[in-house]
């Protein structure tokens, strides 16, 4: 059956490996890599035959993963890490290449293979890191943003490495090729910006209007892989093109649906990638060269961890950040396989060095999830031995924080809540990462902590164990989940109010114990519906009954747990039913010249006159002797029917009022 049989073998083996990993509570990628070793060409038994074809399919997995990452990618989220990503990553790669050169010379290799080795280990694994962050619930944290930012720049650096490394023996010929690649990349990015803003949104709108899920999915996949292939044709990375395609699609109104549709394909082809990685491992080579491999793995892991951690600290990220980034990015990445193959074809590295690089890369990939789990205990141990760095705090009360409100996020919603609490003289503190928002809070006099609210250390500085309430105003659900999980460990009984972008997110938050959930889009949509029904002259009582039913159905868990919430909802309903409005008295109105007592407005309409604005003068609670004049603006309190009845009374076409 050829490749069909191979795919069947891989899927079944991956399932078995995934079940074992799940049973052992380890990331699934470890099970996939183990499955690849078992069905690879070096272990005997049931073996995949068309390995090269599987590797080609695995490239689609890399492209789809970066395509999905591009859809989720937000330049705003990476704003806080742009300096370390754009400046720190090139420095990291130069230092790591120097590390590899030193390791090579230590083992007596020639300088060209040593330089190749340094370039190969300078890259970290985007696939492994993303899967590890997802499985550990760390996506959305500041450390994850730093890692993703640096990984993106590393992936971009693959292109110049592919051009320059084969030309090491003749750099003069390689530099013009590098310049040409830079020009091509700039032209490609400019073209994608134009296409992304002009053509792709129209295309997605057209496909979506046909209401065909198959065509929509096909359009999404064709966009990601098609643009990736175009970048390959112009001499750039296939995976880089897919990432750019995802970024372009993220600006479309259909990005959320595209992401949900592409995830199953991404996971399936990603499975092929990790199994194909496992198939590269030769256990015989591993055991025959075990001492050398262990030494190289140790030197690479320690060296890269120190380089990444040191750069993170040098760029101003303190506390747990250097440890998290250093222990997260120490592995050798999947693009090293591509570079190593180019090195073999260029006769720059021999078969033994190629096998060594592959083995070191696989071993470090396998170790990554285990090492990443050690960040928290190692940081706790560090704090016991050394004095921990204080977090930046602004306007915190000298008396400390007790029975206070903690607000996670100082965006528009967070700042609005903070201003209200500030007016009411209530104790609270805001946790924020964005330096621009920190400055805004500083100017407003808002007590603020600079840090990541999803990290236990920051929560401890916010005295979360002594807080009375936590408000999570950040939109990303992954960040909210991580904050809730850490808060539940520190303060299990704390009341938490969070925001959700839809019913699915709301149900997810309910599952982890958050019942105070607000949906801004739902509330806005419900209010727009109410206003539309009022405009269509639907009776106010009927409208209110409808909106209350919808709201109660959605917020049922809140009503069940808190009787006070039902009371607040009922008060809001009463306020809507007894709303007030301002009515202008027309020039020819029959009420002009008559007093409130003569008109008997209360008995005739049921409405109450609460104020009159006359020639710029406000008359609150006018008495019965007030006589209406031309240009009066009357404040009327009552139900919709009562206010409508008053408006009919003052119309110029109304029946004249008897004096």
């Amino acid at each position: 059956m050829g490749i069909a049989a191979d795919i069947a073998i891989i899927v079944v083996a991956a399932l078995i490996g995934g079940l074992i990993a799940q049973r052992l509570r380890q990331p699934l990628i470890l099970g996939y890599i183990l499955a690849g070793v078992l069905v690879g060409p070096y272990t005997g038994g049931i073996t995949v035959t068309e390995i090269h074809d599987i590797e080609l399919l695995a490239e689609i997995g890399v492209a789809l993963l970066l395509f999905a990452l591009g859809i989720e990618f937000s330049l705003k989220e990476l704003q806080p890490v742009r300096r370390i990503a754009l400046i720190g990553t090139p420095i990291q790669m130069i230092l790591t290449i120097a590390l590899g050169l030193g390791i090579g010379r230590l083992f007596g290799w020639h300088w060209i293979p040593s330089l190749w080795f340094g370039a190969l280990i300078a890259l970290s694994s985007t696939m492994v890191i993303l899967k590890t962050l997802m499985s550990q619930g760390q996506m959305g944290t500041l450390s994850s943003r730093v890692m993703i930012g640096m990984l993106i720049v590393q992936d971009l650096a693959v292109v110049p490495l592919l051009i320059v490394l084969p030309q090491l023996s003749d750099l003069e010929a390689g530099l013009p090729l590098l310049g040409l690649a830079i020009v091509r990349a700039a032209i490609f990015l400019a073209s994608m910006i134009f296409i992304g803003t002009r053509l792709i949104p129209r295309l997605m709108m057209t496909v979506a209007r046909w209401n065909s899920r198959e065509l929509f999915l096909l359009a999404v996949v064709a966009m990601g892989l098609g643009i990736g292939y175009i970048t390959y044709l112009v001499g750039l990375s296939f995976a880089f093109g897919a990432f750019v395609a995802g970024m372009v699609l993220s600006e479309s109104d259909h990005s959320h649906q595209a992401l949900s549709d592409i995830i199953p394909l991404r996971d399936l082809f990603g499975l092929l990638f990790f199994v194909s990685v496992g198939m590269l491992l030769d256990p015989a080579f591993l055991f025959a060269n075990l001492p050398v491999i262990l030494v190289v793995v140790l030197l690479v892991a320690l060296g890269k961890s120190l380089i990444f951690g040191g750069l993170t600290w040098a760029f101003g990220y303190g506390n747990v950040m250097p440890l998290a980034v250093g222990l997260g990015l120490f592995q050798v990445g999947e693009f090293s396989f591509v570079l190593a193959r180019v090195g073999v074809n260029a006769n720059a590295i021999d078969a033994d060095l190629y096998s060594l690089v592959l083995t070191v890369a696989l071993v470090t990939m396998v170790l990554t999830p285990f090492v990443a789990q050690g960040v928290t205990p190692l940081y706790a141990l560090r704090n016991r031995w050394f004095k921990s760095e204080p977090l930046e705090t602004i306007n915190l009360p000298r008396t400390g924080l007790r029975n206070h409100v903690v607000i996670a996020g100082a965006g528009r919603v967070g700042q609005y809540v903070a201003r209200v609490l500030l007016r009411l003289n209530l104790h609270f503190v805001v946790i924020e990462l964005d330096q621009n928002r920190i400055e805004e809070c500083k100017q407003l006099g808002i007590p603020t902590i600079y840090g990541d609210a999803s990290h236990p250390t920051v929560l401890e500085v916010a005295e979360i164990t002594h807080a009375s309430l936590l408000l999570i105003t950040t939109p990303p659900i992954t960040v909210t989940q991580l904050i809730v999980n850490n808060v539940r460990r520190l303060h299990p009984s704390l009341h938490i109010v969070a925001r959700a972008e839809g019913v699915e997110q709301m149900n997810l938050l309910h599952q982890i114990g958050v019942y105070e959930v607000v949906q801004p889009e739902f509330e806005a949509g419900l209010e727009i519906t109410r206003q539309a029904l009022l405009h269509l002259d639907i009776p106010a009582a009927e409208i209110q009954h409808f909106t209350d039913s919808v709201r109660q159905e959605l917020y049922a868990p809140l009503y069940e747990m808190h009787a006070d919430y039902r009371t607040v909802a009922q008060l809001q309903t009463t306020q809507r039913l007894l709303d007030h409005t301002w009515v202008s008295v027309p020039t020819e109105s029959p009420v002009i010249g008559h007093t409130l007592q003569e008109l008997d407005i209360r008995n005739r309409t049921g409405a109450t006159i609460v104020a009159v604005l006359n020639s710029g003068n406000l008359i609150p609670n006018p008495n019965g002797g007030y006589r209406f004049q031309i240009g009066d603006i009357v404040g009327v309190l009552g139900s919709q029917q009562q206010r409508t009845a008053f408006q009919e009374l003052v119309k110029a076409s109304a029946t004249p009022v008897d004096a």
Side-chain angles (χ1 to χ4, degrees), residues 638-655:
S639 66
Q640 177 66 28
Q641 295 94 327
Q642 292 168 343
R643 288 179 279 131
T644 301
F646 177 78
Q647 289 174 331
E648 293 292 334
L649 178 65
V650 301
K651 280 184 179 179
S653 59
T655 303

Side-chain angles (χ1 to χ4, degrees), residues 387-405:
K387 185 178 179 181
S388 59
E389 308 170 46
L391 290 173
E392 180 184 355
T393 59
I394 301 168
N395 300 324
L396 291 190
R398 295 181 179 178
T399 55
L401 296 166
R402 290 294 184 275
N403 298 320
H404 58 291
V405 178

Side-chain angles (χ1 to χ4, degrees), residues 178-216:
L178 177 60
L180 181 61
I182 293 174
V183 173
R184 284 189 300 214
I187 295 174
F188 169 74
L189 289 175
S191 302
M192 284 305 303
I193 291 173
F194 174 79
I195 295 173
T197 55
R198 303 291 178 87
L199 300 181
I200 289 180
R202 295 180 182 177
L203 173 63
M204 296 306 298
M205 179 66 72
T206 302
V207 174
R209 284 174 178 169
W210 290 336
N211 292 322
S212 172
R213 290 292 297 272
E214 292 85 357
L215 278 178
F216 185 84

Side-chain angles (χ1 to χ4, degrees), residues 1 118 128 175 253 256 263 295 444 579 629:
M1 292 179 62
V128 172
L175 291 178
D253 295 334
H256 296 295
I263 283 176
V295 171
L444 295 171
D579 206 347
Q629 303 176 39

Side-chain angles (χ1 to χ4, degrees), residues 109-444:
W109 304 338
H110 189 264
W111 74 270
I112 291 183
S114 299
L115 202 59
W116 269 88
F117 179 75
L120 294 174
I121 67 172
L123 303 170
S124 300
S125 175
T126 304
M127 288 284 284
V128 172
I129 286 299
L130 287 178
K131 283 291 186 181
T132 302
L133 292 172
M134 291 175 187
S135 65
Q136 296 180 358
Q138 297 290 330
M139 289 296 290
T141 62
L142 181 59
S143 57
S144 72
R145 294 175 190 174
V146 169
M147 285 188 272
I148 291 173
M150 299 186 80
L151 286 168
I152 290 172
V153 177
Q154 282 188 359
D155 292 343
L156 296 178
V158 171
V159 177
L161 287 177
L162 287 171
I163 297 171
V164 173
L165 288 175
Q167 307 296 331
L168 283 177
S169 57
D170 188 6
L171 287 177
E172 292 184 2
L175 291 178
L177 293 176
L178 177 60
L180 181 61
I182 293 174
V183 173
R184 284 189 300 214
I187 295 174
F188 169 74
L189 289 175
S191 302
M192 284 305 303
I193 291 173
F194 174 79
I195 295 173
T197 55
R198 303 291 178 87
L199 300 181
I200 289 180
R202 295 180 182 177
L203 173 63
M204 296 306 298
M205 179 66 72
T206 302
V207 174
R209 284 174 178 169
W210 290 336
N211 292 322
S212 172
R213 290 292 297 272
E214 292 85 357
L215 278 178
F216 185 84
L217 175 60
L218 182 60
V220 171
V221 176
M223 185 181 305
L225 299 184
I227 294 176
Y229 182 64
I230 292 173
T231 60
Y232 169 76
L233 292 178
V234 299
L236 300 174
S237 167
F238 179 64
F240 169 64
F243 173 76
V244 173
M247 284 184 59
V248 170
L249 186 58
S250 68
E251 301 300 322
S252 167
D253 295 334
H254 304 88
S255 59
H256 296 295
Q257 184 61 44
L259 180 62
S260 64
D261 285 349
I262 204 70
I263 283 176
L265 278 177
R266 178 199 69 183
D267 293 340
L268 178 61
F269 281 95
L271 174 153
L272 292 177
F273 168 78
F274 285 108
V275 173
S276 67
V277 166
M279 289 190 298
L280 296 173
L281 181 62
D282 182 358
F285 179 85
L286 175 63
F287 291 115
N289 299 275
L290 190 59
V292 175
I293 291 172
L294 290 178
V295 171
V296 173
V297 167
L298 182 63
L299 291 175
V300 170
L302 285 177
K304 289 189 69 174
S305 295
L306 290 174
I307 290 171
F308 277 107
L311 281 172
T312 305
W313 176 81
F315 276 83
Y317 298 95
N319 293 286
V320 75
M321 287 287 296
L323 194 61
V325 176
L327 296 183
L329 297 178
F330 74 91
Q331 76 288 131
V332 179
E334 56 273 2
F335 280 118
S336 299
F337 305 151
V338 179
L339 278 177
R341 175 57 61 186
V342 173
V344 171
N345 294 335
N347 296 319
I349 59 177
D350 56 24
D352 288 340
L353 182 56
Y354 176 74
S355 299
L356 176 64
V357 170
L358 293 187
T359 306
V360 169
L362 290 173
V363 172
T364 53
M365 284 182 179
V366 171
L367 290 176
T368 297
F370 299 102
V371 174
Q373 290 176 353
V375 172
T376 300
L378 285 175
Y379 183 65
L381 187 64
R382 169 194 174 278
N383 287 341
R384 290 180 189 174
W385 291 351
F386 305 99
K387 185 178 179 181
S388 59
E389 308 170 46
L391 290 173
E392 180 184 355
T393 59
I394 301 168
N395 300 324
L396 291 190
R398 295 181 179 178
T399 55
L401 296 166
R402 290 294 184 275
N403 298 320
H404 58 291
V405 178
V406 177
I407 304 174
R412 287 179 296 178
V413 176
Q415 287 191 26
Y416 178 78
V417 175
R419 289 178 181 179
V420 173
L421 297 179
L422 204 60
R423 286 185 184 180
L424 297 175
N425 294 321
L426 296 176
H427 298 292
F428 70 95
V429 64
V430 173
I431 303 174
E432 179 54 53
L433 271 174
D434 193 314
Q435 189 60 43
N436 294 329
R437 292 175 180 172
I438 290 288
E439 293 298 326
E440 293 174 1
C441 291
K442 187 175 182 180
Q443 294 176 1
L444 295 171

